[in-house]
């Protein structure tokens, strides 16, 4: 069976005074039906531009320069704007990090939750719309949905707002939900509520999820497969279990070493030196080489391709596995 | 050991007014409502809690950046809530703050040198030449280069800006630094750099930190003692290891149980805390956590539990064990490669 979503060689560039710079540079990945793909990386790695590219929401001066995005075999990069608009919300939906800025402050929760229904099914009566909206709020476990329907976003807590966003996204029963840092702005107890909710809804509806996050704890909790991104490229890709059991790329190692853990005592955290290079000043070879303690001269010469290190496990590093490289 | 900083029953109440011309007070937001704690010389006390618990307000109260509605703050035995302006300035030479947002907390019109020189000028420390030397010393202390002095804030990344913010706090040679979520706005790999820097500076300069945070994993890494806040109150305070080994207050347990571990083998063990944070305008009667507490009984609605023996809970000695499991850690392969990473970094002189 073909995967639900297949991204191949996707390249999204932005025109700047310094010429065209790539924010996403040759990314290939796939999402199976009903599964969760975690995309991990820090600011500037291209994970948000990747999700906007899948939705074809990249605004000028950005554009998709190469590659394909196939949903059930259909290439979204060549669809007409009208066909694409029809598909958004119905086949793919998206939720964002900041539920306050993503909701319109001058409309009621009910008006916003029913917006998709109004667009796709004109002619519903006000009472029917209200019933549908309340049902949508109930599905995301919002208490007293009848009352919340008439309230405004500022009257809701952050967690409730993210539930409203999820209700809006799920209204069209999408096959794929893209969640871009959905819990980053939330407190940890609220984050746990939202992750629980996402998991339940996924089990109910069978939708696939692309979960974009910088938090390895959230990835470990939610993802079936994981792609680690750095400076516009996927540097490591495998299933979640293997990523944590057998991390290969030095950047993945650096991320794992940077996070303080509750289940470990360590004197100093392992910091990655330096910072992510800006997309207009990318190093010529491996983009992580300037920060990598294992880098050798060859790393600066050519960009390493994502090569299999094991069945179902790819890493873009010519030194992987590192213990072998160091022993040689 | 004597306390460097002592807060005693401090509170901050904000009146809520309604109406334009004859505004009437219709209620009071109790942002901080009777909080006591102490910070010893050279130690780190972490103040932990979720948004709206009053931790940042507490940070500002102990520096008297805002005036308390009640209570006292003593620094080296002197009550700073009654100091006049001159005495307050002298106090601020010894107690400084690092803010959360390194983008908003640097003056965009100042070069780094000007930013670092300002506290020296305000406090009348040194002359032109010695200040220039001090700026260079501060830069090297936080891992920046001398040539950075002539640059402006916007030329730096978030992590570097936070280093500048830390250097500014250290300029006048404080004994206490209040760190208000100093790494929350940073990427994880940069967070680690700044956390390591703060620990290193503490060792070298003997600083005391009041470390405000919402991330318990970061707290576990930096703190000596931890105070957990909920709705304007401290609900539990304990030595760090004791708190993580044996969390006693139901809210502390709920916080710890909600954290996802970076270990897929332990998936599905996070326990969400039910309900929403009540409004600080109208907090629940009795124990403020009772509306979300699985152990709440009748007495919890009637009587406000005092912070005794480090816990503010009527059932402090009767709760079942927390049953939280913090074993695990890195997988063997990951740990081995991380050791190689650290080793290779050290050989190349990673800061």
């Amino acid at each position: 069976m073909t995967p639900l979503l297949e991204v191949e060689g996707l390249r999204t560039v932005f025109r700047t005074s310094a010429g065209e710079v790539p924010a996403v540079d040759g990314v290939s990945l796939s999402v199976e039906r009903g599964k969760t793909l975690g995309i991990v990386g820090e600011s500037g790695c291209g994970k948000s531009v990747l999700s906007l590219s899948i939705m074809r929401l990249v605004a000028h001066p950005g554009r998709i320069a190469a590659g394909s995005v196939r949903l059930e075999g259909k290439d979204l990069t060549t669809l007409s704007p009208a066909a694409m608009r029809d598909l958004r919300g119905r086949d793919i939906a998206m939720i964002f990090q900041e539920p306050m800025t993503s909701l319109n402050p001058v409309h009621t929760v009910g008006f916003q939750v029913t917006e998709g229904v109004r667009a796709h099914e004109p002619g519903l009566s006000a009472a029917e719309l209200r019933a549908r909206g309340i049902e949508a709020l109930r599905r995301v476990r919002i208490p007293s949905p009848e009352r919340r329907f008439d309230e405004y976003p500022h009257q809701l807590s952050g967690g409730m707002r993210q539930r409203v966003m999820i209700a809006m996204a799920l209204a069209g029963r999408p096959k794929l939900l893209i969640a871009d840092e959905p819990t980053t702005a939330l407190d940890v107890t609220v984050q746990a509520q939202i992750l629980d909710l996402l998991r339940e809804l996924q089990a109910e509806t069978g939708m696939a999820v692309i979960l974009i996050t910088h938090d390895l704890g959230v990835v470990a909790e939610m993802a079936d497969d994981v792609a680690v991104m750095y400076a516009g490229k996927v540097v490591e890709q495998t299933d979640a279990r293997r990523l944590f059991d057998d991390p290969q790329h030095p950047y993945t190692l650096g991320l794992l070493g940077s996070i303080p853990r509750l289940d470990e005592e360590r004197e100093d955290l392992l910091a990655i030196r330096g910072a992510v290079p800006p997309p207009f000043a990318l190093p010529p070879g491996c983009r992580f080489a300037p920060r990598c303690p294992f880098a050798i001269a060859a790393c600066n010469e050519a960009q390493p391709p994502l090569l299999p290190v094991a069945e179902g496990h790819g890493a873009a590093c010519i030194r992987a596995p590192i213990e072998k490289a160091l022993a040689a | 050991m004597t306390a460097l900083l002592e807060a005693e029953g401090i509170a901050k109440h904000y009146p809520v007014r309604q109406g334009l011309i004859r505004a009437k007070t219709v209620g009071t937001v109790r942002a901080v409502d009777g909080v006591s704690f102490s910070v010893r010389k050279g130690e780190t006390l972490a103040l932990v809690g979720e948004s709206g618990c009053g931790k940042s307000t507490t940070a500002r109260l102990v520096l008297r950046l805002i005036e308390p509605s009640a209570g006292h703050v003593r620094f080296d035995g002197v009550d700073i809530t009654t100091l006049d302006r001159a005495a307050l300035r002298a106090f601020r030479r010894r107690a400084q703050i690092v803010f959360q947002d390194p983008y908003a907390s640097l003056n965009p019109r100042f070069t780094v040198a000007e930013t670092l020189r300002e506290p020296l000028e305000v406090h009348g420390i040194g002359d032109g030449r010695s200040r220039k030397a001090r700026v260079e010393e501060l830069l090297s202390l936080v891992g920046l280069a001398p040539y950075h002095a002539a640059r402006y804030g916007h030329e730096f990344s978030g992590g570097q800006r936070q280093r500048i913010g830390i250097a500014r706090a250290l300029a006048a040679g404080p004994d206490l630094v209040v760190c208000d979520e100093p790494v929350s706005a940073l990427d994880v790999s940069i967070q680690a750099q700044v956390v390591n820097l703060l620990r290193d500076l503490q060792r070298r300069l003997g600083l005391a930190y009041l470390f405000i945070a919402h991330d318990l994993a970061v707290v576990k890494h930096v703190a000596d003692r931890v105070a957990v806040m909920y709705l304007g109150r401290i609900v539990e305070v304990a030595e760090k290891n004791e708190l993580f080994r044996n969390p006693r207050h139901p809210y502390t347990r709920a916080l710890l149980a909600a954290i996802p571990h970076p270990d897929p083998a332990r998936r599905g063990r996070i326990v969400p805390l039910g309900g929403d944070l009540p409004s600080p305008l109208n907090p629940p009667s009795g124990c403020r956590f009772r509306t979300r507490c699985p152990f709440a009984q009748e007495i919890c609605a009637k009587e406000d539990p005092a912070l005794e023996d480090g816990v503010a809970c009527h059932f402090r000695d009767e709760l079942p064990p927390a049953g939280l499991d913090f074993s695990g850690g890195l997988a063997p392969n990951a740990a081995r490669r991380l050791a190689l990473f650290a080793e290779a970094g050290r050989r190349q002189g990673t800061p």
Side-chain angles (χ1 to χ4, degrees):
Chain A
M1 206 161 97
T2 59
L4 175 69
L5 182 85
E6 275 183 291
V7 176
E8 233 181 270
L10 185 72
R11 184 176 156 86
T12 302
V13 298
F14 284 80
R15 200 160 64 216
T16 70
S17 51
E20 279 196 334
V21 299
V24 172
D25 198 7
V27 165
S28 300
L29 39 86
S30 64
V31 188
E32 305 284 340
R33 271 163 238 273
K35 298 282 186 181
T36 299
L37 170 69
I39 297 183
V40 195
E42 300 178 279
S43 331
C45 74
K47 56 195 196 296
S48 288
V49 173
L50 172 65
S51 61
L52 292 173
S53 304
I54 293 169
M55 289 288 269
R56 257 183 64 195
L57 287 172
V58 179
H60 183 81
R63 67 184 177 89
I64 296 174
S68 63
V69 176
R70 280 191 302 278
L71 183 76
E72 299 181 305
K74 185 166 53 180
D75 189 355
L76 306 187
T77 60
T78 56
L79 279 189
S80 72
M84 192 65 214
R85 194 179 315 126
D86 201 40
L87 183 143
R88 280 189 212 110
R90 204 192 56 210
D91 291 335
I92 312 180
M94 195 163 176
I95 54 174
F96 301 92
Q97 173 173 350
E98 204 8 275
M100 191 62 210
T101 49
S102 312
L103 289 170
N104 190 329
V106 304
H107 290 303
T108 61
V109 164
F111 181 86
Q112 298 183 63
V113 167
T114 54
E115 193 174 359
V117 185
R118 282 199 309 278
H120 287 292
E121 297 174 53
L124 282 181
S125 73
E128 284 169 313
L129 272 178
R130 190 181 175 86
R132 289 274 199 102
I134 289 171
E135 182 48 39
L137 295 179
R138 187 169 289 128
R139 271 180 79 204
V140 294
R141 333 285 191 247
I142 289 182
S144 33
E146 297 84 1
R147 186 163 58 85
R148 295 298 190 187
F149 187 89
D150 296 310
E151 289 187 344
Y152 288 87
H154 75 266
Q155 293 170 285
L156 306 181
S157 68
M160 283 299 149
R161 284 181 209 140
Q162 196 56 287
R163 283 172 196 264
V164 171
M165 290 298 299
I166 295 171
M168 288 167 65
L170 297 193
R173 308 207 170 253
K175 296 166 185 145
L176 174 66
L177 176 71
I178 301 178
D180 189 356
E181 302 266 11
T183 59
T184 304
L186 304 176
D187 278 319
V188 61
T189 57
V190 182
Q191 162 172 285
Q193 293 174 1
I194 296 293
L195 295 181
D196 237 28
L197 174 70
L198 280 174
R199 207 163 16 213
E200 281 174 36
L201 292 171
Q202 190 172 18
E204 274 171 43
T205 62
M207 67 181 173
V209 174
I210 294 182
L211 180 69
I212 297 174
T213 179
H214 69 279
D215 186 332
L216 287 169
V218 171
V219 167
E221 189 62 37
M222 303 291 289
D224 298 300
D225 297 296
V226 187
V228 181
M229 284 187 74
Y230 186 78
K233 289 199 171 282
V234 172
V235 296
E236 183 157 7
Q237 196 167 19
T238 183
D239 62 85
R241 209 43 196 271
R242 201 162 336 181
L243 186 85
F244 288 88
D245 281 350
D246 188 25
Q248 293 278 353
H249 197 281
Y251 178 60
T252 312
L253 292 175
L255 278 184
L256 277 169
S258 295
I259 47 169
R261 302 172 68 115
L262 286 172
D263 57 4
E264 213 185 35
E265 294 293 340
R266 242 185 311 167
E267 257 309 286
D268 265 329
L269 297 173
L270 178 113
I272 309 175
R273 62 188 167 184
V276 180
F280 52 82
L282 294 170
C286 169
R287 289 175 183 174
F288 188 62
R291 305 177 72 190
C292 180
F294 302 128
I296 53 174
C299 297
N300 296 313
E301 278 155 24
Q303 289 181 24
L306 191 71
L307 291 175
V309 285
E311 173 78 29
H313 188 170
C317 178
I318 57 171
R319 306 272 282 154
I322 189 64
E323 57 275 8
K324 267 196 193 147
L326 291 175
Chain B
M1 199 126 123
T2 58
L4 179 65
L5 178 80
E6 251 184 305
E8 201 186 299
I10 54 171
K12 184 66 187 176
H13 297 168
Y14 293 99
V16 179
R17 292 177 206 278
Q18 232 164 44
L20 271 180
I21 298 168
R22 278 196 212 144
K24 269 189 276 181
T25 301
V26 294
T28 308
V29 171
R30 297 166 183 273
V32 174
D33 202 17
V35 160
S36 304
F37 59 85
S38 63
V39 185
R40 293 186 281 259
K41 277 193 170 72
E43 81 158 349
T44 301
L45 173 72
L47 217 48
V48 191
E50 299 183 284
S51 4
C53 73
K55 57 192 189 296
S56 286
T57 306
T58 303
R60 282 159 175 71
L61 283 173
V62 300
L63 294 176
R64 224 178 121 193
L65 295 174
I66 50 178
E67 296 293 329
S69 313
H72 296 279
V73 177
R74 273 185 293 276
F75 186 82
D76 237 359
V78 178
D79 190 342
I80 64 138
T81 49
T82 54
L83 294 183
D84 62 21
R85 286 182 59 140
L88 196 57
R89 177 171 294 185
F91 155 66
R92 296 236 171 90
R93 183 171 168 172
R94 299 185 56 198
Q96 281 289 319
I97 184 165
V98 175
F99 295 99
Q100 171 172 3
D101 185 348
Y103 293 85
S105 56
L106 294 180
N107 187 331
R109 292 162 183 271
F110 276 14
T111 62
V112 170
E114 285 167 329
T115 299
L116 299 185
R117 215 160 43 218
E118 195 182 32
L120 302 175
E121 286 162 1
V122 166
H123 294 295
I125 301 169
D127 55 20
R129 181 173 304 176
S130 72
R131 282 175 194 159
K132 188 163 181 288
R134 176 69 176 151
V135 167
E136 283 190 14
E137 186 190 5
L138 287 166
L139 285 173
S140 97
L141 202 56
V142 298
L144 293 171
Y147 67 86
H148 285 131
R151 299 200 178 170
Y152 289 88
H154 73 263
E155 298 176 68
F156 294 92
S157 66
Q160 286 174 316
R161 281 180 218 215
Q162 203 55 303
R163 286 174 192 269
I164 299 167
I166 293 168
R168 175 180 58 190
L170 297 180
D175 299 306
L176 171 75
V177 178
V178 174
C179 304
D180 188 5
E181 303 253 14
V183 298
S184 307
L186 306 175
D187 270 322
V188 280
S189 71
I190 310 298
Q191 257 187 27
Q193 293 175 4
V194 173
V195 164
N196 286 348
L197 173 67
L198 285 170
R199 285 173 55 120
D200 179 47
L201 290 170
Q202 180 168 50
R203 277 193 291 261
R204 285 160 67 178
L205 306 175
L207 299 169
Y209 290 141
L210 178 62
F211 195 95
I212 315 292
H214 69 275
D215 184 335
L216 277 158
V218 170
V219 163
K220 184 168 188 216
H221 204 75
V222 301
D224 298 307
R225 288 186 304 131
V226 184
V228 181
M229 286 188 74
Y230 185 78
L231 267 187
R233 290 275 174 82
I234 291 178
V235 297
E236 180 164 2
V237 57
E239 295 291 326
K240 170 185 67 179
N241 289 327
E242 187 54 30
L243 187 99
F244 286 97
R245 194 165 37 234
N246 180 25
R248 295 173 65 198
H249 195 280
Y251 178 63
T252 311
R253 295 175 173 194
L255 265 184
L256 286 168
I259 299 171
H261 290 271
D263 180 0
R266 293 201 281 164
R267 174 173 301 192
R269 299 220 199 138
I270 56 170
V271 186
L273 173 61
D276 269 340
L277 189 73
S279 163
L281 187 59
N282 189 15
S285 65
C287 171
R288 295 175 177 207
F289 186 58
R290 68 171 168 88
T291 52
R292 306 172 77 187
C293 180
F295 306 108
Q297 306 279 330
E298 236 170 86
I299 184 177
C300 304
K302 289 183 194 141
E303 283 175 38
D304 195 354
L307 185 68
E308 275 168 24
D309 183 24
V311 193
C313 176
H314 291 297
F315 300 100
R316 58 172 69 78
D317 298 318
E318 293 154 51
L319 296 178
L324 293 165
D325 172 19
F326 295 128
S327 61
L330 282 165
N333 268 334
R336 198 171 57 233
R337 290 188 188 128
L338 264 175
L340 293 172
F341 189 108
E343 162 78 38
R346 265 196 302 278
R347 238 182 291 129
Q348 296 171 5
T350 308

